[in-house]
Amino acid sequence: MHGADTDGRVVAAACTIAIDDLPDGLIMTDRFGCVLAANRAAARLTGVAVERAVGRHMSDVFPFRDHDGRDWWKALDPEGGLCTRSRVPERPLHLPGGQELYVAARLVREPERAGEVERVVITMRDGGARSRLERSRADLVSTVAHELRSPLTSVKGFTATLLAKWTRFTDEQKRVMLETVNNDADRVTRLITELLDVSRIESGRLEVRRQVVDLPARARRLIAGRVAAGDSDERYRLVAGDDLPEMWLDQDKIDQILGNLVENAVRHGRGTVTIDIESVGWGVAVSVRDEGEGIEPELAPRVFRQFWRGGNSRRRGGTGLGLFIVKGLVEAHGGTITVQRAPEGGAEFRFTVPTGTPDFATP
């Protein structure tokens, strides 16, 4: 083996290659804090070149601080503490430039049990991605709490009132209260369904059960349902090509995609909502557009993020999860989705899904 000595240890040259192959940053020091080695990932994360770090003290080149401003290396104190201590848990630290890194350490002792510290191996990871994930989770909790509070308060209030004063209300009053409870229960169910979809999308556990789907028929069914619920039939326009190929898709998820895009157009747009279905080279493209204010080009990259709400959408309701879910469902089909300004000036969401075959169908 190239670079190995007689007792199996890898020589320095091979070690350099190995640590540079690691995806996480790595720094090795002696017990006193003198840097013995660092890899390219550490240099990238900290902005300190390897040649500048080696041979210098940790506090001089990697002055990590905790959230209270304390010197991490001084608190680490490799020569102090229990002689059985060997691992230092990962924690968020900062460099003077403001970079947040998650840093952990291992104290290498000789002998391994209760020996003196010979080396300190420090690993680090970018804290930005984890911070964004934690903020996303905090936003999720906040959104769920906010969205659940109103319908649950309504359900509790009307139910308690009916139980306490049932005989005092007319049948018509009881019906109105129960309809309100039913609608609010549906709202809670929709929120739970959205949260489950988000969880499946993020974890990669979203299943696509393919069957032959008639896209124009699904669109007509959606429009008919909205008209039956009280919308004007003049609000919607369906344009479908005559040469559409056979599509193997997940019918429920396609209904959800179309439903969310139409709901978004109705809620945030104005004028006629047009659903345009056409054949493209490798599949079918579906455009849903309105005649409202549209979306500014600089905001387009944010539209499909979790909790994105544009304009006065917060006043109009919604969790901000619908378009994130739409993107996940489209991509689960192997498709893509974009947003741009529609010819009439509103927003146009256009998704394309590939032509499937029975071979792709899920039993």
Side-chain angles (χ1 to χ4, degrees):
M1 178 179 67
H2 171 71
D5 62 13
T6 54
D7 62 359
R9 291 178 298 177
V10 181
V11 300
C15 279
T16 302
I17 296 172
I19 65 174
D20 279 340
D21 288 342
L22 294 173
D24 295 334
L26 183 142
I27 302 168
M28 186 182 299
T29 76
D30 62 17
R31 76 176 74 173
F32 306 110
C34 179
V35 177
L36 303 176
N39 68 354
R40 285 196 295 261
R44 174 178 53 79
L45 290 170
T46 63
V48 179
V50 173
E51 56 272 19
R52 180 180 156 219
V54 173
R56 300 182 63 186
H57 194 274
M58 274 288 297
S59 296
D60 294 332
V61 287
F62 302 112
F64 293 123
R65 296 287 188 274
D66 63 16
H67 288 302
D68 296 322
R70 290 174 295 199
D71 186 319
W72 177 76
W73 179 264
K74 186 177 293 185
L76 181 65
D77 188 18
E79 296 185 279
L82 296 174
C83 62
T84 56
R85 184 174 59 129
S86 62
R87 297 185 183 278
V88 179
E90 186 178 67
R91 61 182 302 184
L93 300 174
H94 293 86
L95 288 171
Q99 306 99 306
E100 183 181 55
L101 301 172
Y102 281 82
V103 180
R106 180 172 181 266
L107 308 180
V108 181
R109 297 180 179 273
E110 295 291 345
E112 185 175 349
R113 292 182 178 275
E116 290 188 351
V117 174
E118 293 291 328
R119 299 180 303 282
V120 181
V121 180
I122 302 163
T123 59
M124 64 191 74
R125 294 186 291 163
D126 183 10
R130 182 177 293 190
S131 296
R132 288 191 294 272
L133 178 60
E134 290 175 352
R135 286 195 299 270
S136 176
R137 288 174 176 170
D139 287 343
L140 180 62
V141 172
S142 176
T143 298
V144 171
H146 175 77
E147 294 294 328
L148 286 177
R149 182 185 296 116
S150 177
L152 289 180
T153 299
S154 171
V155 168
K156 174 63 177 175
F158 280 119
T159 303
T161 300
L162 286 170
L163 288 173
K165 303 176 181 180
W166 180 267
T167 57
R168 300 186 186 182
F169 296 109
T170 65
D171 288 345
E172 180 62 22
Q173 290 172 323
K174 293 174 184 176
R175 185 182 64 80
V176 170
M177 290 186 183
L178 289 174
E179 284 179 348
T180 302
V181 169
N182 183 65
N183 291 335
D184 285 331
D186 287 342
R187 181 177 166 189
V188 172
T189 300
R190 286 194 298 270
L191 175 59
I192 293 172
T193 300
E194 286 185 343
L195 295 175
L196 289 174
D197 286 336
V198 169
S199 174
R200 294 187 184 104
I201 290 169
E202 290 187 328
S203 64
R205 293 184 290 106
L206 195 65
E207 294 184 3
V208 176
R209 301 183 180 277
R210 297 181 185 268
Q211 59 181 296
V212 176
V213 173
D214 185 338
L215 279 174
R218 304 316 297 174
R220 282 191 290 269
R221 181 176 180 274
L222 170 64
I223 293 172
R226 296 193 67 94
V227 171
D231 288 357
S232 169
D233 59 357
E234 297 180 355
R235 182 76 193 272
Y236 303 99
R237 176 170 174 259
L238 174 62
V239 179
D242 297 327
D243 57 344
L244 298 178
E246 183 179 81
M247 301 298 297
W248 283 76
L249 306 168
D250 187 312
Q251 181 169 289
D252 291 338
K253 291 178 174 57
I254 288 297
D255 286 349
Q256 190 174 355
I257 292 169
L258 290 172
N260 278 3
L261 291 178
V262 170
E263 174 66 23
N264 182 76
V266 170
R267 178 179 292 172
H268 305 302
R270 294 193 303 269
T272 302
V273 176
T274 300
I275 304 175
D276 192 338
I277 306 173
E278 60 181 326
S279 177
V280 293
W282 54 283
V284 169
V286 181
S287 299
V288 178
R289 52 182 178 265
D290 60 72
E291 300 174 347
E293 298 175 359
I295 297 172
E296 297 299 326
E298 61 270 18
L299 297 179
R302 309 180 193 174
V303 168
F304 298 105
R305 296 178 185 174
Q306 290 186 38
F307 312 115
W308 184 85
R309 290 165 170 169
N312 58 356
S313 58
R314 186 175 294 276
R315 176 175 62 82
R316 298 182 186 180
T319 62
L321 295 173
L323 293 177
F324 173 81
I325 292 171
V326 165
K327 183 174 184 290
L329 296 179
V330 170
E331 291 179 347
H333 282 85
T336 59
I337 185 168
T338 59
V339 60
Q340 60 188 12
R341 184 172 293 276
E344 297 82 6
E348 177 178 329
F349 287 85
R350 179 181 175 89
F351 71 90
T352 307
V353 287
T355 302
T357 68
D359 296 335
F360 295 110
T362 303

